[in-house]
Amino acid sequence: MTQEMTAEERGGAAAGAPARPLWFLVPAWLLTIAGLGISGYLTVTHYDDAALVCSESSTVDCHAVTSSEYAALLGIPMPFLGLAFFVGFAALITPWALRSEWPPLRWGRIASTAVGVLFVVYLVTVELAVLHKICLWCTGVHVIATLLFVLVLFDEFRRIGQVD
């Protein structure tokens, strides 16, 4: 008899779940933290206009965007929804969630970032086609949400055939 330990006994990744490479983990966490920071800042500025720091020009006007009628959905401020998105995504990329073989966690990463990109499309359309203004802080969140979606898709393509 040998004294080899299984991956589960060592506390490592589950036997069927492949470990996430650094090219996924590092950017995912950096983007999530940046998204949390910007969304947190925009949530604060939603309630305190004086805290909003952004240049104003004919096209770039954060105040016009963040104080428009489109700055809330069903009474919930958009920055708060962004904050909830990044908190939820952070939970989905914790070591425990990434090691888990429970399919809803895997599909949750895909679904949450897909919904995030749909919100990005909607919000950018509102900014450009309706308001004719761009918020640079909002654009930062849009870019981050899109990059997270791409990152999750690359990770899923890498995993094709490995787990179900």
Side-chain angles (χ1 to χ4, degrees), residues 26-47:
V26 172
W29 275 107
L30 290 175
L31 290 167
T32 302
I33 291 167
L36 280 167
I38 297 172
S39 294
Y41 170 70
L42 288 172
T43 300
V44 168
T45 63
H46 181 81
Y47 297 105

Side-chain angles (χ1 to χ4, degrees), residues 93-161:
I93 61 170
T94 59
W96 173 82
L98 290 174
R99 281 193 310 263
S100 176
E101 291 187 45
W102 193 46
L105 291 174
R106 179 181 173 198
W107 291 105
R109 283 187 289 278
I110 297 168
S112 65
T113 56
V115 169
V117 166
L118 290 176
F119 263 95
V120 166
V121 169
Y122 165 72
L123 293 171
V124 169
T125 301
V126 166
E127 283 181 291
L128 297 176
V130 178
L131 300 174
H132 305 288
K133 303 284 183 184
I134 296 172
C135 170
L136 295 179
W137 291 106
C138 302
T139 300
V141 172
H142 300 161
V143 168
I144 290 169
T146 303
L147 289 174
L148 284 174
F149 177 67
V150 169
L151 194 62
V152 167
L153 283 184
F154 272 119
D155 186 52
E156 285 303 313
F157 286 129
R158 176 187 71 84
R159 295 167 43 120
I160 288 176

